[in-house]
Amino acid sequence: MKKSEAMKLLKESREKIDLIDEKILNLISERTSLARKIIKAKIALNMDIWDPAREKQIEEKTRKIARENKIDEGKLIKIMRILTELNKMEQEQILRRK
Ligand SMILES: O=C(O)C(=O)C[C@]1(C(=O)O)C=C[C@@H](O)C=C1
């Protein structure tokens, strides 16, 4: 590959990554907003914040998607765990404020 081609490829790929990162971060914000709604339902239904069966479902779905896309399963699961942790933390904060 020529140096000029490589530089173009790097620049274009990084621009794409910037756009994807923005989308990911906006989706994470959207996901977190849903957790703030869910806590209201959980309070009304007298449910715990932690739902291990639901988390298991998410883990299984993540494993499947990781395998289909040949991405490291463990790493993808770690990302999803961070997202569920973020939501549980948000829900706990709302509960404490009540
Ligand atoms: O589905 C719920 O009950 C949620 O509160 C959302 C969520 C998640 O982030 O996906 C968070 C905590 C639960 O343990 C399970 C799932």
Side-chain angles (χ1 to χ4, degrees):
M1 189 188 277
K2 278 191 267 169
K3 207 173 169 181
S4 62
E5 271 177 64
M7 278 168 67
K8 185 169 179 269
L9 183 80
L10 181 63
K11 186 176 178 283
E12 285 175 1
S13 299
R14 286 187 175 166
E15 280 167 5
K16 281 186 190 160
I17 283 183
D18 281 342
L19 288 176
I20 291 170
D21 286 351
E22 216 173 290
K23 281 189 200 165
I24 291 173
L25 293 169
N26 282 319
L27 285 172
I28 291 174
S29 305
E30 206 182 316
R31 195 182 194 283
T32 309
S33 302
L34 286 173
R36 295 188 195 118
K37 280 191 180 163
I38 288 177
I39 188 61
K40 290 182 189 150
K42 284 182 173 172
I43 292 167
L45 296 167
N46 202 20
M47 282 170 70
D48 283 339
I49 287 178
W50 185 44
D51 186 336
R54 174 65 183 149
E55 289 191 18
K56 189 86 201 138
Q57 253 181 13
I58 293 170
E59 191 181 306
E60 290 308 318
K61 184 184 64 184
T62 304
R63 279 189 200 286
K64 185 172 172 281
I65 291 174
R67 265 185 250 121
E68 284 167 0
N69 293 284
K70 297 187 170 51
I71 300 174
D72 186 279
E73 265 179 58
K75 289 277 190 298
L76 217 50
I77 284 169
K78 258 191 192 166
I79 292 173
M80 293 312 291
R81 285 210 184 119
I82 291 173
L83 297 185
T84 51
E85 284 304 318
L86 182 65
N87 279 359
K88 283 185 280 190
M89 209 181 72
E90 284 287 332
Q91 293 183 355
E92 265 151 25
Q93 276 171 8
I94 294 168
L95 256 196
R96 258 183 267 129
R97 254 185 265 137
K98 279 183 83 35

